[in-house]
């Protein structure tokens, strides 16, 4: 049967004490609403209807997509009223109702609920809580059948003792839903139209209420303030850490690890404390990542070693390359096999050939470095004239002396050497020594020093 999803995301979130709409506050680098939409899409609905109110334009700007229909709830008059604003746009047989501030709901939980919904039945996700304060209580008859939901503020003292709470997540046929919504009343303590009142209406119409529960109560926990937001963040991160460890990743301390994106991993990977992975990251076999590293939108090939306090963003690291400590690789950086980037080195839009080394205190921008090169400490490429960027190209087996400035555009030929402290402003021929301390001198057919016996 066809399915459409309604996500309620109109709340202001007063307790967040923020001008940002509540559903745009982030868990693991992604907005709460973003998490819910991502989960909803996995169910392949025909359409997703997002009910927005406070900060509607800001929400819509962040989630423009063909499969999303935004519905404005001008006044926030309760969950029943919110669903009623979206229902006229629903054409599918069944409807699933989700919440934009319940970000950790899982696909498997929702699929299990949907599978229970048959003819003349309504699916309700409930949760058994150690402390159900604030939740609507599930009222069952003597046979265990759900007959109603009573909100906390309207519950009697005996009803408040019930530990089975309502998550608000419903799966049900669309046609009777439209009828029940039209019959809702706001004669209650809050003066709102409760979506939960349709449960009693469904029972009166001889519908069976089928229930299912999530594996953890945190999966259906909403975030109404920053304390709850932080609790959800840590639960998400610990769950992500546990999943990675099951795949062969060793985390020195799973409680000090953060994943803020998507990751593909091999086996025998070791990650030290306080590592943050952002965006799309691929980590192949036998990679080691030191403490306090940030890795974003990058690929780490087999055997890569990243030493502590390094930042990797938009880079590809070849097999057996090593980086850091305190290194920064910016977007467009490619390290080929067995390369070395040392402490306080920054590379941007730079390719480093096989077995080449950049040991210390160096900046290379818009640079192509061949194989078996050595870049001395304090070297910089002067790639920007204030308006335009230019390239620096180094051939194979080039040796750059310490404290050299390579003024782009410049090409340094194979096996050439620049003397320490030189400013190189013109191309350097292969197999030559360039000295640019005062006036650049080139010695052709210069023989490199050989190791002492």
């Amino acid at each position: 049967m066809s399915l459409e999803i309604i996500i309620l995301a109109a709340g202001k979130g007063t307790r967040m004490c923020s001008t940002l709409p509540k559903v745009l506050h982030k868990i693991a680098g992604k907005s709460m609403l973003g998490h819910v939409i991502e989960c909803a899409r996995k169910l392949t609905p025909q359409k997703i209807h997002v009910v927005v109110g406070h900060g509607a334009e800001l929400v819509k700007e962040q989630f423009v997509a063909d499969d999303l229909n935004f519905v404005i709830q001008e006044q926030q008059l309760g969950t029943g009223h919110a669903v009623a604003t979206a229902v006229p746009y629903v054409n599918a047989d069944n409807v699933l109702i989700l919440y934009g501030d319940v970000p950790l709901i899982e696909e498997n939980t929702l699929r299990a609920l949907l599978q229970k919904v048959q003819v003349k039945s309504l699916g309700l996700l409930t949760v058994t809580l150690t402390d159900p304060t604030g939740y609507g209580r599930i009222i069952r008859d003597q046979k265990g059948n759900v007959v109603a939901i009573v909100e906390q503020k309207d519950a009697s003292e005996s009803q408040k003792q019930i530990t089975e709470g309502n998550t608000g997540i419903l799966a049900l046929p669309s046609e009777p839903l439209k009828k029940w919504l039209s019959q809702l009343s706001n004669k209650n303590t809050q003066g709102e139209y409760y979506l939960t009142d349709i449960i009693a209406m469904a029972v009166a119409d001889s519908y069976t209420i089928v229930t299912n529960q999530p594996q953890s109560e945190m999966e259906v926990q909403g975030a109404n303030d920053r304390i709850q937001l932080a609790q959800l963040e840590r639960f998400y991160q610990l769950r992500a850490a546990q999943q990675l460890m099951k795949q062969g990743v060793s985390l020195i301390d799973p409680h000090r690890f953060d994943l803020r994106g998507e990751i593909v991993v091999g086996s025998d990977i070791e990650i030290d404390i306080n590592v943050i992975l952002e965006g799309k990251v691929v980590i192949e076999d036998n990679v080691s990542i030191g403490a306090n590293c940030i890795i974003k939108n990058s690929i780490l090939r087999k055997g890569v070693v990243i030493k502590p306090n390094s930042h990797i963003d938009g880079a590809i690291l070849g097999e057996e390359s090593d980086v850091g400590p305190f290194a920064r690789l910016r977007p467009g950086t490619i390290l080929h096999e067995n390369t070395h980037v040392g402490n306080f080195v920054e590379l941007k839009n730079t390719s480093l050939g096989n077995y080449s080394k950049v040991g210390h205190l160096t900046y290379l921008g818009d640079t192509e470095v061949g194989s078996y090169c050595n870049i001395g400490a304090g070297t910089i490429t002067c790639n920007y004239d204030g308006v335009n960027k230019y390239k620096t190209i180094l051939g194979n087996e080039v040796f750059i002396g310490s404290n050299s400035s390579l003024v782009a555009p410049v090409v340094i030929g194979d096996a050439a050497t620049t003397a320490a402290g030189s400013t190189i402003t013109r191309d350097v021929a292969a197999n030559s020594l360039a000295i640019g301390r005062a006036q650049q001198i080139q010695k052709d057919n210069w023989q490199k020093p050989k190791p002492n016996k």
Side-chain angles (χ1 to χ4, degrees):
M1 299 179 75
S2 58
L3 174 70
E4 293 184 34
I5 295 175
I6 297 173
I7 302 174
L8 306 188
K12 181 178 180 180
T14 304
R15 283 178 280 173
M16 287 289 185
C17 301
S18 172
T19 57
L20 191 70
K22 179 169 72 168
V23 295
L24 295 186
H25 285 267
K26 293 180 179 180
I27 299 289
K30 180 188 298 182
S31 70
M32 291 194 286
L33 179 57
H35 283 283
V36 180
I37 290 173
E38 182 181 88
C39 182
R41 283 177 172 149
K42 293 176 181 177
L43 302 172
T44 61
Q46 291 183 337
K47 201 78 175 178
I48 299 173
H49 307 278
V50 183
V51 181
V52 292
H54 176 73
E57 292 306 313
L58 188 58
V59 175
K60 288 161 68 174
E61 284 174 12
Q62 291 201 18
F63 295 101
V64 175
D66 292 340
D67 63 338
L68 299 180
N69 173 44
F70 289 94
V71 182
I72 303 294
Q73 185 187 16
E74 297 291 352
Q75 292 180 284
Q76 278 74 63
L77 302 177
T79 51
H81 178 259
V83 174
T85 62
V87 154
Y89 301 96
V90 172
N91 297 308
D93 300 317
N94 288 333
V95 178
L96 176 65
I97 298 169
L98 302 176
Y99 296 82
D101 62 349
V102 181
L104 303 189
I105 189 66
E106 294 196 26
E107 175 192 357
N108 291 340
T109 298
L110 297 178
R111 285 195 182 279
L113 181 66
L114 289 167
Q115 287 170 1
K116 285 192 171 186
V117 178
Q118 305 296 329
V119 177
K120 293 287 286 186
S121 68
L122 179 155
L124 172 65
L125 193 68
T126 70
V127 59
T128 301
L129 301 154
T130 51
D131 179 9
T133 303
Y135 280 77
R137 303 306 201 277
I138 305 299
I139 309 300
R140 295 180 181 268
D141 62 18
Q142 292 181 345
K143 295 181 180 179
N145 298 315
V146 176
V147 294
I149 299 174
V150 177
E151 295 298 330
Q152 166 91 20
K153 293 184 178 180
D154 299 308
S156 66
E157 287 305 313
S158 62
Q159 289 172 335
K160 288 178 181 178
Q161 303 307 309
I162 297 171
T163 57
E164 186 180 14
N166 172 42
T167 69
I169 294 175
L170 289 168
L172 67 169
S174 58
E175 287 308 314
L177 172 62
K178 294 174 183 179
K179 183 188 80 169
W180 297 329
L181 288 171
S182 69
Q183 297 172 359
L184 289 178
S185 167
N186 65 346
K187 293 180 180 179
N188 49 59
T189 304
Q190 292 289 92
E192 294 182 348
Y193 296 92
Y194 293 154
L195 180 62
T196 49
D197 287 348
I198 70 171
I199 299 299
M201 296 178 187
V203 171
D205 286 348
S206 301
Y207 275 74
T208 301
I209 312 301
V210 294
T211 63
N212 201 46
Q213 292 213 349
Q215 292 193 3
S216 166
E217 64 180 75
M218 288 298 290
E219 187 183 334
V220 292
Q221 174 69 52
N224 294 309
D225 56 34
R226 294 178 191 265
I227 295 172
Q228 291 178 329
L229 194 70
Q231 291 170 345
L232 289 177
E233 176 76 34
R234 292 328 312 157
F235 179 82
Y236 177 96
Q237 295 301 345
L238 185 57
R239 187 173 68 181
Q242 291 169 345
Q243 289 171 349
L244 287 176
M245 289 188 287
K246 290 177 182 178
Q247 297 176 62
V249 178
S250 292
L251 297 173
I252 300 303
D253 185 350
H255 292 89
R256 289 185 285 175
F257 166 80
D258 285 86
L259 175 62
R260 301 173 185 171
E262 303 171 19
I263 181 173
V264 177
V265 297
S267 60
D268 297 312
I269 295 164
E270 184 174 286
I271 299 178
D272 209 332
I273 63 169
N274 301 328
V275 169
I276 300 174
L277 305 179
E278 298 183 359
K280 295 183 178 180
V281 177
V282 176
I283 304 176
E284 295 185 355
D285 300 346
N286 300 301
V287 169
S288 173
I289 302 173
N292 309 315
C293 291
I294 299 175
I295 301 169
K296 180 178 180 180
N297 295 323
S298 296
I299 299 173
L300 314 183
R301 299 296 186 197
K302 294 179 181 179
V304 165
V305 175
I306 301 178
K307 295 168 187 173
N309 302 294
S310 296
H311 287 206
I312 316 293
D313 181 5
I316 300 173
L317 280 61
E319 293 187 13
E320 306 296 332
S321 57
D322 75 272
V323 174
F326 295 98
R328 184 184 182 196
L329 306 186
R330 292 167 59 192
T333 295
I334 300 174
L335 305 186
H336 293 273
E337 295 181 12
N338 291 279
T339 51
H340 168 66
V341 175
N343 50 286
F344 304 105
V345 172
E346 179 180 355
L347 306 183
K348 189 270 299 180
N349 197 29
T350 288
S351 172
L352 200 61
N354 297 338
Y355 293 93
S356 288
K357 300 178 180 180
V358 190
H360 338 268
L361 303 163
T362 292
Y363 169 72
L364 302 181
D366 301 296
T367 303
E368 291 182 15
V369 179
S371 301
Y372 295 95
C373 294
N374 188 89
I375 313 296
T379 296
I380 62 168
T381 53
C382 308
N383 58 322
Y384 182 52
D385 65 2
V387 179
N388 301 300
K389 296 283 185 73
Y390 299 95
K391 290 198 72 171
T392 299
I393 300 175
L394 279 63
N396 298 322
E397 301 182 46
V398 170
F399 183 94
I400 303 297
S402 298
N403 201 33
S404 291
S405 298
L406 310 179
V407 183
V410 66
V411 177
I412 299 176
D414 291 346
T417 297
T418 65
S422 292
T423 298
I424 305 301
T425 59
R426 298 194 302 271
D427 292 352
V428 178
N431 301 299
S432 61
L433 169 66
I435 304 171
R437 292 168 181 154
Q439 179 179 356
Q440 186 170 322
I441 299 172
Q442 182 169 307
K443 296 183 178 182
D444 295 330
N445 300 311
W446 181 75
Q447 295 297 314
K448 287 188 176 182
K450 296 180 179 180
N452 294 325
K453 293 184 179 180

